[in-house]
Amino acid sequence: MYNSKISGLGYYVPNNIVTNDDLSKIMDTSDDWIKERTGIHQRRWIEKNSGDTTSIMGVKAAEMAIKNAGITKDDIDFIVFATLSPDYFFPGGGVMIQDMMNMGTIGALDVRNQCSGFIYALSTADQFIKTGMYKNILVIGSETHSHGLDKTTRGRGVSVIFGDGAGAVVLSREENNSKGILSTHLHSEGKHAKELSLISPGLGTRWVTDIVEDNDPNDESYYPYMNGQFVFKNAVVRFYEVINEALNKNNLTKKNIKLLVPHQANLRISQFIQRKFQLSDNQVYNNIMKYGNTTAASIPIALAEAHQDGHIKKNDIILLAAFGSGFTWGSALIRW
Ligand code: UT7
């Protein structure tokens, strides 16, 4: 059995910055409310006709990760792509990326686990590397939320939170078993699926013919639904559990954590976890202030930025943790 290590990181966010004040011009909200409840100052939203899509952003992040790893795209054996906002309902975005990057006929797998999508994707890739099946896997999280949000006062409880962007890592074979990804932990609780959800517009739970027949201008079912307070309460419990699970599994304590990179759901959630574990500010990386919640892209963007800014060094213990729609949650413990 091998281990796997993150050998390269990359990220991409669209140019278009949308501030809280910009939002207050199109809905009844305020900079104060958004900052106080979420910590978000601004987010990136793809501008119409800019050319960016979920897959294209994924490619940009992937190209940076491959360059950062010091390899070429021809060294990549497999793609695992996490998103809740693929360009097409089907096929998934992994094959789009495979085609745009001209990567022969390597396999491409899509992961649909929303905010914990990147942890699930990383864990999946880790298994392929551990068994020796692949040597280098591209693991990508990319999201376009801006096109699907209700940007009126009716949707303000959801739309102010989410942002667009992509992050990627190259996961590579590591011969030293005490380095790289030491463990991953995955959980779900489907009974809460509807608490943070979006029906398949025109498919699955609602038929195209019904939507056309109803032709209802007040139909909100095209927009994501979130029971914010319920999600928040579950998130803080599950984050705590799954971080502890990773530490216990590896006989480590909170003191060993060099950097916790939590999914950027809400700054108040990250701060709650930081207090609960009594971690210092230097031990927790947050960038939700700049990008909002980018679901499956949030951890790889934050990890790539933290690495770029010199917060991660060789042998550091890095803990990734996420919680979100499903509910699904997970963690990954890495010795860098
Ligand atoms: O990514 C993973 C999953 N997502 C999360 O982890 C999100 C978890 N939940 C949250 O982050 C928070 O619940 C929210 C930020 C979504 C909402 O914050 P909250 O403190 O739970 O607010 P609330 O939903 O209880 O709403 C409080 C008030 C309401 O008004 P009334 O009924 O008290 O008059 C809302 O209508 O704030 C109102 N409100 C807003 N006001 C201004 C809701 N959204 C906004 C807004 N601007 N954008």
Side-chain angles (χ1 to χ4, degrees):
M1 289 280 272
Y2 300 100
N3 252 20
S4 68
K5 66 172 178 204
I6 291 177
S7 59
L9 304 101
Y11 70 102
Y12 172 82
V13 289
N15 293 329
N16 184 38
I17 297 173
V18 179
T19 65
N20 296 339
D21 284 335
D22 292 334
L23 294 184
S24 68
K25 289 176 195 141
I26 56 172
M27 64 179 82
D28 182 10
T29 190
S30 68
D31 184 44
D32 284 348
W33 192 96
I34 300 172
K35 274 188 195 151
E36 190 196 318
R37 307 279 178 137
T38 70
I40 298 167
H41 295 206
Q42 59 185 50
R43 72 287 294 138
R44 304 294 179 105
W45 279 357
I46 291 175
E47 238 168 347
K48 232 180 181 171
N49 305 321
S50 70
D52 277 339
T53 68
T54 297
S55 305
I56 289 172
M57 291 193 298
V59 167
K60 290 176 181 173
E63 284 172 345
M64 182 175 166
I66 290 172
K67 194 169 172 211
N68 184 248
I71 59 172
T72 73
K73 67 179 174 60
D74 298 333
D75 298 313
I76 300 291
D77 304 313
F78 194 62
I79 298 168
V80 187
F81 183 53
T83 187
L84 64 75
S85 50
D87 297 356
Y88 291 81
F89 186 79
F90 71 86
V95 295
M96 309 279 169
I97 287 174
Q98 189 263 4
D99 177 49
M100 280 187 274
M101 294 184 71
N102 195 16
M103 296 175 103
T105 57
I106 64 166
L109 172 75
D110 277 54
V111 166
R112 293 290 312 273
N113 285 79
Q114 301 67 248
C115 300
S116 37
F118 183 76
I119 302 281
Y120 269 77
L122 193 72
S123 179
T124 304
D126 180 42
Q127 313 313 313
F128 281 122
I129 290 192
K130 279 204 166 84
T131 57
M133 183 161 173
Y134 296 126
K135 270 191 180 165
N136 295 302
I137 301 180
L138 202 45
V139 185
I140 307 165
S142 182
E143 302 284 11
T144 307
H145 287 292
S146 55
H147 298 349
L149 298 170
D150 180 356
K151 296 170 187 157
T152 68
T153 299
R154 184 179 67 177
R156 65 184 179 175
V158 175
S159 55
V160 302
I161 297 171
F162 293 100
D164 303 338
V169 302
V170 175
L171 201 67
S172 301
R173 181 183 286 181
E174 166 64 61
E175 311 269 348
N176 179 344
N177 279 340
S178 62
K179 284 205 162 174
I181 297 183
L182 301 184
S183 67
T184 56
H185 308 271
L186 306 176
H187 297 278
S188 70
E189 197 174 28
K191 72 177 176 188
H192 298 313
K194 290 182 183 159
E195 304 295 347
L196 177 46
S197 58
L198 172 65
I199 64 156
S200 299
L203 294 156
T205 43
R206 228 173 137 215
W207 291 69
V208 173
T209 43
D210 291 346
I211 294 172
V212 171
E213 198 175 306
D214 292 350
N215 192 23
D216 176 4
N218 297 317
D219 188 357
E220 292 179 53
S221 66
Y222 307 112
Y223 297 115
Y225 167 77
M226 178 165 73
N227 182 350
Q229 292 201 356
F230 186 75
V231 174
F232 194 108
K233 282 177 193 153
N234 279 267
V236 290
V237 172
R238 298 309 192 183
F239 263 110
Y240 182 72
E241 282 175 6
V242 86
I243 290 170
N244 263 330
E245 187 180 356
L247 290 173
N248 292 341
K249 167 83 184 169
N250 294 284
N251 295 317
L252 297 172
T253 73
K254 62 187 184 186
K255 291 201 177 98
N256 298 111
I257 300 175
K258 173 70 194 321
L259 199 64
L260 169 66
V261 182
H263 160 54
Q264 301 292 292
N266 180 325
L267 190 62
R268 286 164 58 213
I269 295 179
S270 294
Q271 289 168 339
F272 184 94
I273 298 304
Q274 181 177 342
R275 278 197 302 275
K276 196 107 170 115
F277 283 97
Q278 296 172 300
L279 300 174
S280 70
D281 287 349
N282 290 336
Q283 283 177 289
V284 185
Y285 191 81
N286 290 303
N287 62 4
I288 191 170
M289 306 70 107
K290 294 191 287 182
Y291 304 130
N293 177 341
T294 57
T295 53
S298 94
I299 289 182
I301 293 174
L303 195 62
E305 235 188 33
H307 187 259
Q308 193 175 51
D309 294 348
H311 297 293
I312 301 175
K313 301 266 182 318
K314 224 172 158 194
N315 280 319
D316 283 348
I317 294 292
I318 308 297
L319 222 166
L320 314 179
F323 173 89
S325 162
F327 291 151
T328 59
W329 62 101
S331 61
L333 197 129
I334 303 167
R335 188 186 300 281
W336 207 264

